[in-house]
Amino acid sequence: MDKVITVLPGDGIGKEVTKGAIEVLEAIAERYGHSFQFEYGLIGGTAIDETGSPLPDETLEKCRKSDAILLGSVGGPKWDKNPSHLRPEVGLLKIRKELNLYANLRPITFFKSLAEASPLKPENIEGVDLLIVRELTGGLYFGKPSERQTRDGKEAAVDTLFYTREEMTKIIRLAFELANNRRKKVSSVDKANVLETSKLWREVVEEVAQDFPEVEVEHVLVDNAAMQLITNPRRFDVVVTENMFGDILSDEASVLTGSLGMLPSASLSYTGLNLYEPIHGSAPDIAGQNIANPLATILSAASMLRLSFGLEEEAQAIEHAVNNVLDLGYRTKDISATGSKVLTTDEMVAEVKASILDREAISNIMSAYK
Ligand code: NAD
């Protein structure tokens, strides 16, 4: 299979972790006989420095011509005091809007060998396997007006929470489809006791649910969902929610498994041009030191193979390699524990690659004996 992948390293550790994921994709290409062509684009603070824009048109053009996008992360103290239109995060919001990346998928999976790194007791975290489906291009972050105002002579500010029924239907339907291929349970999160948008959201959930009779559906208020993610995370399969609730809940859920450095995400578009990125930021405190955990980005690359290219076996090969390396006791600093072997970013990437390529050697031997 021949595919073009646009890589947007971004800022800080984004550069280090995307480099690692590309090496792993190259190992997959070698093992399975694919050809991946990597095109590079600028985004975030680095793009501001080089072009004056957090998302240059040239980057968008490259993305549109490719089959999938791999993003590192954006941001850093250097740009924190920039005017709001020249902040790195504007690049992220713009790419989501321009490419219609309406759905963000965050799988939260328990890694047995990392149980110690979780803030929860092992018995509460073991077996957690949930998927947060967050609406990404509507709601408070995009609604207009969003501005400072003066009302009755008083200084004020307003943001707008706006959704069309169509926007809600798209994301809710996707959640049901995903649940249908998993444990068949959708937890829809809203604030229907207060918000009009949430009341419409519930109506749409009930409507879409009619088409998925095998999927169990429940409505959970967002405050209750925040609590239950900590007290009983195993009860969730697919959690679907609007943009801001999803932003907060997915960050909360991300610490369940121990480290930001382990969690991938996928942002899906209406057109099929999807973007894959780790959930963590640019980690300026450790950037340039070759100690960042590359596994979240490597696992994001696995999601790309599965969701964009339909390469399930190859995706699993990466996931098995990551599990294998963890089982061997290899860790980056953020997930290290007593007795583990602490590796640099590059060494961790090398171990994952070796695991992928070794499996080939093993399977060749196995088939020779068949
Ligand atoms: P962060 O995720 O960058 O870092 C939080 C903490 O986790 C830091 O201590 C960091 O060292 C650690 N960490 C994160 N990823 C790691 C990894 N792969 N390996 C090891 N340790 C890791 O969040 P922050 O510090 O709040 O934000 C830093 C910058 O990143 C800010 O400018 C913020 O706006 C930006 N940010 C960008 C994105 C994105 O690009 N999608 C997401 C979140 C934050």
Side-chain angles (χ1 to χ4, degrees), residues 13 73-76 89 92 260-261 277 279-286 292-293 334:
I13 62 166
S73 53
V74 302
E89 296 75 16
L92 272 188
L260 285 175
E277 61 177 319
I279 70 152
H280 60 71
S282 58
D285 52 335
I286 58 165
N293 185 344
D334 56 310

Side-chain angles (χ1 to χ4, degrees), residues 323-336:
N323 266 307
N324 189 24
V325 166
L326 293 173
D327 286 347
L328 289 170
Y330 294 124
R331 302 281 187 275
T332 42
K333 199 170 160 215
D334 56 310
I335 50 172
S336 63

Side-chain angles (χ1 to χ4, degrees), residues 12-52:
I13 62 166
K15 296 181 170 59
E16 300 161 52
V17 292
T18 47
K19 179 173 158 275
I22 290 166
E23 285 184 32
V24 168
L25 284 170
E26 278 168 343
I28 288 288
E30 183 185 330
R31 173 172 162 184
Y32 290 93
H34 301 303
S35 161
F36 300 135
Q37 182 190 327
F38 299 99
E39 295 286 337
Y40 290 83
L42 295 170
I43 191 169
T46 312
I48 295 171
D49 287 352
E50 291 195 26
T51 69

